[in-house]
Amino acid sequence: SRSVSPSPSATAVPSGSAMAPMKRPAAAPKAAPPKKAKKDPLAEKAELVTELAEKATGYPEVVLGMLMSSMETSLLVPKDARHEYQEEVVKMFAEVLHSVEEVATAAVTAAQGTAAAVEADKCAKDGVVEATKGIVKEKQEGVEAAKTAMQEAAVAKMAATTEQTSAAAEQKFEDAELDAVEGKKASLESTMAEEFQPLKDGTAGNVKKAVQAVIKALKAQGVEQQLLASADPALSRPAAERGSFDMLVIQQIEEHFTKLKASFQEQLDNGAAAKAERAGKVDKTIEEVAVADARLEARKTELTAAQHSLTDAKVTLVGAQTAAQELLPQIEETARELEAARADLATCKVALEAFEELAERTSEPAPEAAAPEDEEAAVVAAQ
């Protein structure tokens, strides 16, 4: 009979009732990743031996090719199953592999030597840098000391110059009075010799002029008016016509001049020692200024030399630092080479271990046959 489809009324959802939630279709199970095929341990070891043997040098390619092709019939044969020829091939494998090991060991030794040499060179250059830093510091201290010495010399010169200026001012002030006395004395002596004496002797060429000069000198010295009034006629008369009064006037003039000259000389004599002392003091300060100036110039020269020396030391330091820095790439390169050489040697060791395991591998013992009792027990257990 045909199946009858349910009517719409039979399938209608009653009013007010919730629609039943629809279920999601179950997700398909994820496919498990394919399992990697387990590598044959013998094949792994053989691969390691092959890779190491291919690095051998000093052997013809034909020989190495024959050796590689005979691995399966020699090295991969258990030791207890090999015949003499196969053992000889295994020994040849050992020789080739150990030659690679020797090369790798020599490469490590050479890389260590190179790294040690570069490191020693770097240490030496670092030592030069440190030593040069010490020199730069010493030169810097020398510059500072030279600056201090120059400043002290400049202060000393300023003090010497001030002392000299003060001494010269004192000399000028104190000597001014004596210089004035010296001038008066010289003027008096000139008047006495060139005007008064010729008038007294009656030998003056220009009597009027000579008389005026003498009277001027007397007025300058504050001579009393009576003597001045009598001086002109007494000096103007010819010597032969002079009377006793005229001679008395001339005598008084001469005595006045003589006393005045003696007074001037006494003042000069009394001030001579102090004047000489002041002159000596000025001369001494001039010498001190010259010495201080020479010392200052010497300190300036020393400072310039110290600054040049410091500059040279700094240039040397930059060169030393540059030389040390330039070794860094070489140090990194030698470190990489040493690391690579050690890695190669480690690979050799692993391959050699694999070779030794293959070379010493023996046949696996056959499984023992099961006893009849055990077979019967196995059948019963199966039933």
Side-chain angles (χ1 to χ4, degrees):
S1 62
R2 292 184 304 172
S3 59
V4 181
S5 299
S7 64
S9 61
T11 59
V13 178
S15 175
S17 63
M19 182 181 291
M22 298 179 64
K23 293 183 179 180
R24 292 183 181 179
K30 293 183 180 179
K35 294 183 178 180
K36 293 183 180 179
K38 192 173 182 181
K39 205 166 185 178
D40 183 7
L42 291 181
E44 290 182 348
K45 292 181 175 64
E47 184 179 350
L48 291 173
V49 171
T50 300
E51 290 176 355
L52 183 60
E54 288 175 348
K55 296 179 181 178
T57 58
Y59 294 93
E61 291 184 9
V62 177
V63 174
L64 291 177
M66 292 174 62
L67 190 62
M68 296 299 103
S69 63
S70 65
M71 179 183 292
E72 188 172 353
T73 59
S74 58
L75 184 59
L76 297 182
V77 175
K79 184 176 182 180
D80 55 352
R82 296 178 199 143
H83 51 69
E84 185 177 351
Y85 172 74
Q86 290 172 320
E87 280 296 333
E88 290 298 324
V89 175
V90 172
K91 289 180 181 179
M92 185 175 293
F93 263 109
E95 178 184 335
V96 171
L97 298 178
H98 282 296
S99 72
V100 177
E101 181 189 25
E102 289 175 359
V103 172
T105 301
V108 170
T109 302
Q112 287 174 333
T114 302
V118 174
E119 189 62 33
D121 192 15
K122 179 65 166 57
C123 288
K125 284 182 168 54
D126 286 342
V128 172
V129 169
E130 292 305 315
T132 308
K133 284 182 179 179
I135 293 174
V136 169
K137 182 180 179 182
E138 179 183 342
K139 299 298 183 183
Q140 184 65 56
E141 291 173 352
V143 168
E144 295 303 321
K147 284 182 179 179
T148 300
M150 188 191 74
Q151 291 169 353
E152 291 175 351
V155 171
K157 180 185 176 182
M158 185 179 298
T161 302
T162 302
E163 184 67 21
Q164 188 228 337
T165 302
S166 176
E170 181 184 1
Q171 180 190 39
K172 182 178 180 181
F173 178 79
E174 296 294 337
D175 287 358
E177 185 177 351
L178 288 179
D179 290 341
V181 172
E182 181 70 34
K184 291 178 181 179
K185 178 175 175 288
S187 177
L188 177 60
E189 290 175 339
S190 175
T191 300
M192 290 178 67
E194 296 176 9
E195 278 82 29
F196 176 75
Q197 192 63 41
L199 286 173
K200 177 183 175 183
D201 297 337
T203 59
N206 190 337
V207 174
K208 184 177 180 180
K209 182 179 178 182
V211 170
Q212 289 176 349
V214 171
I215 291 176
K216 182 179 179 181
L218 291 173
K219 285 181 178 180
Q221 301 305 324
V223 175
E224 57 186 21
Q225 189 62 34
Q226 185 177 358
L227 182 59
L228 287 175
S230 302
D232 188 354
L235 292 172
S236 298
R237 289 190 183 91
E241 297 178 4
R242 293 172 185 160
S244 58
F245 180 76
D246 295 331
M247 296 299 295
L248 179 61
V249 170
I250 292 174
Q251 181 181 353
Q252 288 179 345
I253 293 173
E254 185 173 19
E255 289 176 354
H256 178 77
F257 280 160
T258 302
K259 288 180 180 179
L260 188 58
K261 179 181 176 182
S263 174
F264 289 155
Q265 187 61 49
E266 183 179 3
Q267 293 180 55
L268 293 174
D269 291 342
N270 291 338
K275 183 177 183 180
E277 182 179 351
R278 288 191 292 272
K281 183 177 181 180
V282 170
D283 292 341
K284 182 180 179 182
T285 56
I286 290 174
E287 291 177 2
E288 290 174 349
V289 169
V291 170
D293 184 63
R295 186 177 292 112
L296 176 59
E297 292 303 316
R299 298 298 86 80
K300 287 180 179 179
T301 301
E302 290 171 359
L303 175 58
T304 301
Q307 289 171 332
H308 287 326
S309 183
L310 174 60
T311 300
D312 293 342
K314 287 182 176 179
V315 170
T316 302
L317 176 59
V318 171
Q321 290 173 328
T322 301
Q325 289 294 322
E326 288 175 349
L327 282 177
L328 293 179
Q330 189 175 354
I331 290 175
E332 294 173 357
E333 178 63 23
T334 55
R336 286 192 294 269
E337 291 175 354
L338 177 57
E339 183 179 356
R342 285 173 173 167
D344 287 345
L345 181 57
T347 301
C348 288
K349 298 291 186 184
V350 173
L352 282 170
E353 288 178 4
F355 167 75
E356 293 295 337
E357 291 174 3
L358 292 174
E360 298 298 325
R361 184 177 65 90
T362 59
S363 301
E364 295 182 1
E368 296 180 359
E373 295 82 1
D374 295 337
E375 291 181 358
E376 293 177 2
V379 172
V380 172
Q383 292 178 351

